[in-house]
Amino acid sequence: MARPKQISDTVLYRAAQRVYQRRGHHNFALSELPREVKLSRAAIIQRLEGAEALKIALSADALSFFEDALRELPSTRDGDSLIALAAFIGDTLTERTQLASYLQNFQADLADKHLAELDERRAAALFDAVSERMPKIAVEHASAVQAFVAHMGGSLLQWQILAETVSAKQFMIDRTRVWLQIAGIPHDKDNPHQENNSCRP
């Protein structure tokens, strides 16, 4: 008779998710899992289908979480909803190395059919989220959405390069307020998503 599993598949998968969050897709390794759960590396490899299949599953889960989180944000067509969206995007980064790792691995992702499809879905989800929140302004709607998406990408790069002491979230809030002023989109200056510190003008 087979011995009962000491660690459930769910617990093992949650541990893999934690490692994946810390390390990212390309740096994820099954060898880190024994530190998260009390199983040998051999037992983990036997229980899982393989590192590549697991990484694809973890990437798909991360994307589903991202899509669900976008749906939970305020979705009125106004500046405050755009600020909340930018704050959420900034809040996904806790360290500059996360963004650097993502950018470094993006090209490799495009070479993998499954990862390229997930990246395409992620980009479409973000574009749709901005589109849903973008109010009517002087330029055509799709152009305004593309400009805002570009603003967020550029702001994240600027945050990574500059020796800023503020969080990515606060940096995104501050830069988005400037973008909204330029675009003529009204917004609440005392937005509840603002943190106490602020970045350089």
Side-chain angles (χ1 to χ4, degrees), residues 163-178:
E164 295 291 346
T165 57
V166 297
S167 66
K169 176 181 177 180
Q170 186 60 48
F171 194 82
M172 292 295 287
I173 290 169
D174 292 344
R175 290 299 182 254
T176 297
R177 285 192 173 128
V178 172

Side-chain angles (χ1 to χ4, degrees), residues 172-191:
M172 292 295 287
I173 290 169
D174 292 344
R175 290 299 182 254
T176 297
R177 285 192 173 128
V178 172
W179 192 95
L180 295 174
Q181 287 173 346
I182 292 168
I185 299 173
H187 59 281
D188 180 4
K189 295 207 184 307
D190 297 319
N191 192 285

Side-chain angles (χ1 to χ4, degrees), residues 9-180:
D9 289 344
T10 301
V11 170
L12 183 55
Y13 192 76
R14 294 279 183 257
Q17 286 177 316
R18 289 193 298 275
V19 172
Y20 186 88
Q21 269 188 326
R22 282 196 312 265
R23 305 289 287 159
H25 185 88
H26 294 279
N27 296 318
F28 176 86
L30 291 180
S31 59
E32 291 194 45
L33 286 179
R35 286 178 235 151
E36 295 286 326
V37 294
K38 293 180 179 172
L39 279 178
S40 69
R41 187 173 187 272
I44 289 169
I45 290 170
Q46 186 179 17
R47 293 266 297 273
L48 299 172
E49 292 180 17
E52 283 310 309
L54 178 61
K55 289 198 290 188
I56 295 295
L58 291 168
S59 293
D61 282 351
L63 174 56
S64 294
F65 177 82
F66 179 73
E67 290 170 331
D68 290 345
L70 287 177
R71 283 190 283 273
E72 291 177 13
L73 293 172
S75 60
T76 52
R77 290 187 179 276
D78 58 30
D80 293 331
S81 288
L82 290 171
I83 290 173
L85 176 58
F88 164 73
I89 296 300
D91 208 26
T92 62
L93 295 173
T94 55
E95 299 174 6
R96 285 172 171 79
T97 54
Q98 285 177 283
L99 181 59
S101 177
Y102 172 78
L103 294 172
Q104 183 180 17
N105 295 318
F106 183 72
Q107 195 66 34
D109 287 358
L110 295 179
D112 181 298
K113 179 184 171 213
H114 299 294
L115 292 176
E117 288 172 1
L118 292 174
D119 279 333
E120 192 174 304
R121 245 179 75 192
R122 185 178 291 106
L126 183 58
F127 186 91
D128 290 346
V130 174
S131 180
E132 185 181 351
R133 292 157 177 81
M134 182 63 66
K136 187 172 177 57
I137 59 173
V139 299
E140 190 260 334
H141 183 76
S143 296
V145 172
Q146 289 167 347
F148 190 80
V149 170
H151 142 71
M152 289 196 294
S155 293
L156 288 175
L157 286 174
Q158 188 180 29
W159 172 77
Q160 183 186 17
I161 292 166
L162 295 176
E164 295 291 346
T165 57
V166 297
S167 66
K169 176 181 177 180
Q170 186 60 48
F171 194 82
M172 292 295 287
I173 290 169
D174 292 344
R175 290 299 182 254
T176 297
R177 285 192 173 128
V178 172
W179 192 95
L180 295 174

